[in-house]
Amino acid sequence: MEAYITPITEHDKIVGYMSVRSAPSRPMIDAAEALYRAVRDKRATLPSTLKALNSRPDAMKWSVWLAGGGALMAMAAACVPDSLLGLRLAMGVSGSVLALSASSWCWVRIRAGLRLLRDGLCCLREGRLDQNLVIREGGLLGRALLGVESLRIHYRATLADVISAGEDTRRQAYSVRDEMHALAARSLQQREGLNQISTNMETINAAVHEVVTLAQRNQDDAGQTRSVAEQGERHHAGGSTGGQPGSGGGWLLAFFHGGTGSGA
């Protein structure tokens, strides 16, 4: 795991620190494993980050000191008596060379730092957040480069969080989509079930209608049978009491009585 500790500032004051971790590359893992093996074997020690930061040269600071020393040496050469002309010339040339070398060295280091700063800002502008800044400068220029590197780490961590949140949102959207599909399928099944229930109700309604029709017919037939039975009862009751002359029942009774008397 590659970790980068960057300060959190408010109004140029450090109020906390943030650790940004990212997956290292295979060469970085191999280098770390080799270093840990060497530390276990007492052949090496873990490097100090603070010492590494303090060991970075401040080009502007050292160039001022060196250039100032060269200028003082050149001016001191003027105070050397004429009898020591060789010493005067040596001091003057050495001071001038030292001042010129310090100025040149400062210019080269500042130009390299500014070029690195430009490249870092270009990477931020183009969104190439995987390009590390190899900082070798100290002092004000080094702090400016560290600020750009910290900004790159912040942007990378923020972008990683946004991508992670987007991935979570995508998974949740897919889950909601699947649930909606399942709900639609259940609704379709329920609709088919309701259609089946409606069909069954129509079948039951038709059967009930047939039963009612059959019951009505039975009731009508029963009414007719009861009417015929009542008529038969009335006819039977009228024949057993003699009835009226000329009625069918009386005629049948007289016929039977007459036949019986003639046989006697």
Side-chain angles (χ1 to χ4, degrees):
M1 182 67 71
E2 180 187 9
Y4 184 87
I5 310 298
T6 177
I8 301 173
T9 60
E10 290 182 2
H11 305 289
D12 203 22
K13 292 182 179 180
I14 297 176
V15 297
Y17 294 89
M18 180 179 67
S19 176
V20 180
R21 296 177 176 86
S22 58
S25 61
R26 187 69 248 179
M28 297 175 65
I29 295 175
D30 295 338
E33 290 177 350
L35 176 60
Y36 285 132
R37 283 195 300 269
V39 171
R40 286 196 303 268
D41 298 338
K42 306 298 182 182
R43 293 183 289 103
T45 58
L46 292 175
S48 173
T49 304
L50 184 59
K51 184 182 294 186
L53 291 175
N54 293 331
S55 64
R56 293 174 181 172
D58 187 354
M60 290 185 292
K61 176 182 176 181
W62 285 104
S63 63
V64 169
W65 283 103
L66 292 176
L72 288 176
M73 184 180 295
M75 288 186 294
C79 300
V80 176
D82 294 338
S83 59
L84 301 175
L85 182 60
L87 178 61
R88 178 191 297 177
L89 291 176
M91 290 180 61
V93 172
S94 299
S96 299
V97 171
L98 180 61
L100 182 61
S101 299
S103 300
S104 300
W105 176 72
C106 179
W107 166 250
V108 170
R109 296 301 295 265
I110 290 177
R111 191 168 183 270
L114 292 177
R115 185 182 294 111
L116 184 61
L117 182 62
R118 181 201 61 188
D119 294 341
L121 293 175
C122 182
C123 290
L124 290 178
R125 183 178 66 250
E126 295 176 358
R128 292 184 283 115
L129 303 180
D130 57 342
Q131 301 293 327
N132 297 329
L133 292 181
V134 181
I135 302 173
R136 297 186 177 91
E137 303 296 332
L140 183 60
L141 182 58
R143 288 194 295 271
L145 292 172
L146 281 176
V148 174
E149 180 67 4
S150 298
L151 184 61
R152 181 188 71 85
I153 296 296
H154 276 292
Y155 281 170
R156 185 176 178 180
T158 302
L159 183 61
D161 292 339
V162 171
I163 292 175
S164 178
E167 184 66 21
D168 292 339
T169 303
R170 184 182 67 85
R171 286 195 296 267
Q172 293 175 1
Y174 284 161
S175 177
V176 171
R177 184 199 62 181
D178 295 339
E179 291 179 358
M180 292 298 294
H181 288 170
L183 180 60
R186 288 195 298 269
S187 299
L188 181 60
Q189 292 177 356
Q190 291 176 356
R191 186 183 67 181
E192 293 176 353
L194 291 175
N195 292 336
Q196 185 64 35
I197 292 173
S198 177
T199 303
N200 294 338
M201 291 297 295
E202 291 177 356
T203 303
I204 293 173
N205 187 23
V208 170
H209 181 71
E210 291 179 359
V211 170
V212 171
T213 302
L214 183 59
Q216 185 66 38
R217 290 177 180 176
N218 292 336
Q219 185 178 5
D220 295 340
D221 293 341
Q224 294 177 0
T225 303
R226 186 174 57 251
S227 177
V228 171
E230 290 177 352
Q231 292 178 3
E233 289 178 355
R234 285 197 298 270
H235 287 301
H236 179 68
S240 52
T241 54
Q244 297 295 327
S247 64
W251 181 82
L252 288 174
L253 289 175
F255 174 78
F256 284 114
H257 285 294
T260 305
S262 61

